[in-house]
Amino acid sequence: MLTKDQFTAIVMALVVWGFAGALFGALFAGLYQVLVVLGLTGWQPLVIAAAAAAMTTSAFYSAMPVALVGAMAGVLASIGYLIATGQQVQLMAIVGIAAIVGVIAGGFHSWIAKSGSRPLAETLTGLLAGLLAGAVLALVLDVLGQRVGMFVLAAGVVALVGTFFQVSERWLVGRSLRWLPDALSAPVVAGLIAAVVAASIWILGGTTSA
């Protein structure tokens, strides 16, 4: 018989994993299709989209307060950019501005709430898992010589990233904590998340304007 605390822990774990999976799948599918439209071919869109989506998802899963700060900074910076430029969305400009605002917001968060270097360690672990998962899947698809649908592709990437992340998290994070500076952890993670948010807004703006 489950106790109330055990049942609550199971439900919260399901909610967190469901949110992480949905966020990862949506990010990966959107980024992959846009990268293909931009002209990337072969393994490039798969590896880049998997790495970006895994990095973002691991930040939300492992360091949600810092990731939310970065997401809010990215949204506010992007809105300000759109207002100032009259809807003329340039990728490098909007991403650069959002990243700077994210770093500043992350620095303020680090100043008022000490989070240590774990957020950056978790995010880098997710990035590495995404790179590895994308490379493995790209190699498998190249060997098989078959094209698969987006749903199957996203499901495969989610499964591989989740496996690599869980297997390597304790080992990589434990060793990363020794040399990653605490003061840079929240600013870097918030800046990365803000840049991803700005890139997503550029995708929407560029698609609609095109």
Side-chain angles (χ1 to χ4, degrees), residues 8 59 61 78 114 150 175 186:
T8 302
Y61 174 70
S78 299
K114 301 297 183 182
M150 179 52 64
R175 282 156 178 75

PDB file of all heavy atoms in Angstrom, residues 8 59 61 78 114 150 175 186:
ATOM      1  N   THR A   8       2.588  10.863  -3.873  1.00  0.00           N
ATOM      2  CA  THR A   8       2.905  12.216  -4.342  1.00  0.00           C
ATOM      3  C   THR A   8       4.216  12.243  -5.104  1.00  0.00           C
ATOM      4  O   THR A   8       4.330  12.893  -6.142  1.00  0.00           O
ATOM      5  CB  THR A   8       2.981  13.186  -3.143  1.00  0.00           C
ATOM      6  OG1 THR A   8       1.732  13.172  -2.453  1.00  0.00           O
ATOM      7  CG2 THR A   8       3.269  14.600  -3.621  1.00  0.00           C
ATOM      8  N   ALA A  59      18.214  21.415 -18.567  1.00  0.00           N
ATOM      9  CA  ALA A  59      18.226  22.607 -17.719  1.00  0.00           C
ATOM     10  C   ALA A  59      16.898  22.758 -16.990  1.00  0.00           C
ATOM     11  O   ALA A  59      16.855  23.039 -15.787  1.00  0.00           O
ATOM     12  CB  ALA A  59      18.516  23.845 -18.554  1.00  0.00           C
ATOM     13  N   TYR A  61      14.744  20.329 -16.427  1.00  0.00           N
ATOM     14  CA  TYR A  61      14.532  19.169 -15.563  1.00  0.00           C
ATOM     15  C   TYR A  61      15.362  19.253 -14.285  1.00  0.00           C
ATOM     16  O   TYR A  61      14.888  18.901 -13.201  1.00  0.00           O
ATOM     17  CB  TYR A  61      14.889  17.896 -16.339  1.00  0.00           C
ATOM     18  CG  TYR A  61      14.855  16.646 -15.504  1.00  0.00           C
ATOM     19  CD1 TYR A  61      13.659  16.115 -15.037  1.00  0.00           C
ATOM     20  CD2 TYR A  61      16.046  15.986 -15.158  1.00  0.00           C
ATOM     21  CE1 TYR A  61      13.631  14.966 -14.270  1.00  0.00           C
ATOM     22  CE2 TYR A  61      16.022  14.834 -14.396  1.00  0.00           C
ATOM     23  CZ  TYR A  61      14.820  14.329 -13.960  1.00  0.00           C
ATOM     24  OH  TYR A  61      14.800  13.189 -13.195  1.00  0.00           O
ATOM     25  N   SER A  78      13.483  39.350 -26.493  1.00  0.00           N
ATOM     26  CA  SER A  78      12.984  39.174 -27.856  1.00  0.00           C
ATOM     27  C   SER A  78      11.844  40.140 -28.148  1.00  0.00           C
ATOM     28  O   SER A  78      11.770  40.723 -29.240  1.00  0.00           O
ATOM     29  CB  SER A  78      12.510  37.732 -28.055  1.00  0.00           C
ATOM     30  OG  SER A  78      13.574  36.824 -27.872  1.00  0.00           O
ATOM     31  N   LYS A 114      21.858  31.343  -4.078  1.00  0.00           N
ATOM     32  CA  LYS A 114      23.020  30.536  -4.419  1.00  0.00           C
ATOM     33  C   LYS A 114      22.578  29.153  -4.935  1.00  0.00           C
ATOM     34  O   LYS A 114      21.826  28.448  -4.275  1.00  0.00           O
ATOM     35  CB  LYS A 114      23.921  30.342  -3.194  1.00  0.00           C
ATOM     36  CG  LYS A 114      24.430  31.649  -2.598  1.00  0.00           C
ATOM     37  CD  LYS A 114      25.311  32.413  -3.591  1.00  0.00           C
ATOM     38  CE  LYS A 114      25.870  33.674  -2.970  1.00  0.00           C
ATOM     39  NZ  LYS A 114      26.685  34.455  -3.924  1.00  0.00           N
ATOM     40  N   MET A 150       8.846  11.838 -38.573  1.00  0.00           N
ATOM     41  CA  MET A 150       9.285  12.702 -37.481  1.00  0.00           C
ATOM     42  C   MET A 150       8.928  12.120 -36.127  1.00  0.00           C
ATOM     43  O   MET A 150       9.693  12.242 -35.163  1.00  0.00           O
ATOM     44  CB  MET A 150       8.658  14.093 -37.648  1.00  0.00           C
ATOM     45  CG  MET A 150       9.033  15.084 -36.547  1.00  0.00           C
ATOM     46  SD  MET A 150      10.820  15.210 -36.276  1.00  0.00           S
ATOM     47  CE  MET A 150      11.329  15.871 -37.858  1.00  0.00           C
ATOM     48  N   ARG A 175      31.981  14.870 -11.298  1.00  0.00           N
ATOM     49  CA  ARG A 175      33.320  15.348 -11.628  1.00  0.00           C
ATOM     50  C   ARG A 175      33.319  16.790 -12.106  1.00  0.00           C
ATOM     51  O   ARG A 175      34.289  17.521 -11.897  1.00  0.00           O
ATOM     52  CB  ARG A 175      33.944  14.429 -12.684  1.00  0.00           C
ATOM     53  CG  ARG A 175      34.460  13.143 -12.079  1.00  0.00           C
ATOM     54  CD  ARG A 175      34.544  12.013 -13.071  1.00  0.00           C
ATOM     55  NE  ARG A 175      35.092  10.790 -12.443  1.00  0.00           N
ATOM     56  CZ  ARG A 175      34.380  10.023 -11.627  1.00  0.00           C
ATOM     57  NH1 ARG A 175      33.118  10.334 -11.354  1.00  0.00           N
ATOM     58  NH2 ARG A 175      34.931   8.941 -11.085  1.00  0.00           N
ATOM     59  N   ALA A 186      24.808  29.806 -13.035  1.00  0.00           N
ATOM     60  CA  ALA A 186      23.486  30.350 -13.346  1.00  0.00           C
ATOM     61  C   ALA A 186      23.518  31.327 -14.524  1.00  0.00           C
ATOM     62  O   ALA A 186      22.639  31.252 -15.398  1.00  0.00           O
ATOM     63  CB  ALA A 186      22.890  31.016 -12.106  1.00  0.00           C
TER      64      ALA A 186
END
